[in-house]
Amino acid sequence: LGLAAASAAAADAGSPEELRAATAVVLRLNPQLLEGSALSEEAAAFRSAGVALFRRAVLHERFGEADAVAHFKQSAKYKGMLTKLQRLEEEIRAEHDKRVSAAAACGINKKREERMKGIEAAAKVTHQERLAAAAGGGAPLLLEADAVAETGEAADKAAGE
């Protein structure tokens, strides 16, 4: 029974000459001929025969081993997960912004900000002024920034003890 079915399928496949002739006809056709609702009876019959013949191969090429339904289920699952991740990212960003504003409002970094302002103010003395003071026979000019940094380090050490 299996051998008879296989030989009948081989006979239905067409001869190599028939396949070459069909290929030549298909290659000459314009795809727009088979689109739209106003198809001629012959074009509609040809289109339905082509869909029946090539549907499985096209779907296999497009979606791989999985069928189209499994592919679309997987795509929907990915889209759902992406939506959840985007919502989570928004929640994390909102919580982070809330904590940043709370930290800025509580004044934790006020001491560091004041020290940095002192350093920036003292840094206005240029390198040339330091060299000129040293060349004038006097001791090198001690910048306020150096003094602020030294007192800040001493305060940090004292706080750590």
Side-chain angles (χ1 to χ4, degrees):
L1 183 69
L3 185 60
S7 64
D12 289 341
S15 68
E17 294 81 23
E18 289 175 322
L19 290 175
R20 279 193 288 276
T23 301
V25 169
V26 168
L27 290 174
R28 283 194 324 256
L29 292 177
N30 184 351
Q32 294 171 345
L33 172 73
L34 303 175
E35 295 174 354
S37 58
L39 293 176
S40 68
E41 188 175 321
E42 295 81 15
F46 182 77
R47 184 179 189 278
S48 65
V51 167
L53 180 62
F54 297 115
R55 169 181 234 115
R56 185 178 206 81
V58 169
L59 289 175
H60 179 73
E61 184 177 315
R62 168 89 172 150
F63 302 111
E65 292 295 321
D67 64 341
V69 173
H71 172 76
F72 288 123
K73 282 182 181 178
Q74 188 67 31
S75 292
K77 194 184 297 184
Y78 288 149
K79 286 180 182 178
M81 186 177 295
L82 180 62
T83 302
K84 288 179 184 177
L85 287 172
Q86 287 170 338
R87 251 187 256 128
L88 180 62
E89 181 183 18
E90 289 173 7
E91 290 176 19
I92 289 171
R93 181 172 287 128
E95 183 65 27
H96 175 73
D97 291 344
K98 189 188 320 177
R99 288 183 181 192
V100 166
S101 63
C106 75
I108 291 175
N109 292 322
K110 292 292 182 190
K111 183 179 174 183
R112 287 187 182 141
E113 288 175 12
E114 290 171 5
R115 189 181 320 154
M116 186 57 132
K117 286 179 185 177
I119 291 171
E120 288 172 350
K124 291 181 181 176
V125 177
T126 64
H127 182 66
Q128 284 79 18
E129 291 172 331
R130 290 179 90 181
L131 291 176
L141 181 63
L142 179 64
L143 292 175
E144 286 183 42
D146 297 333
V148 170
E150 289 174 7
T151 58
E153 290 171 8
D156 289 342
K157 286 181 185 176
E161 292 176 357

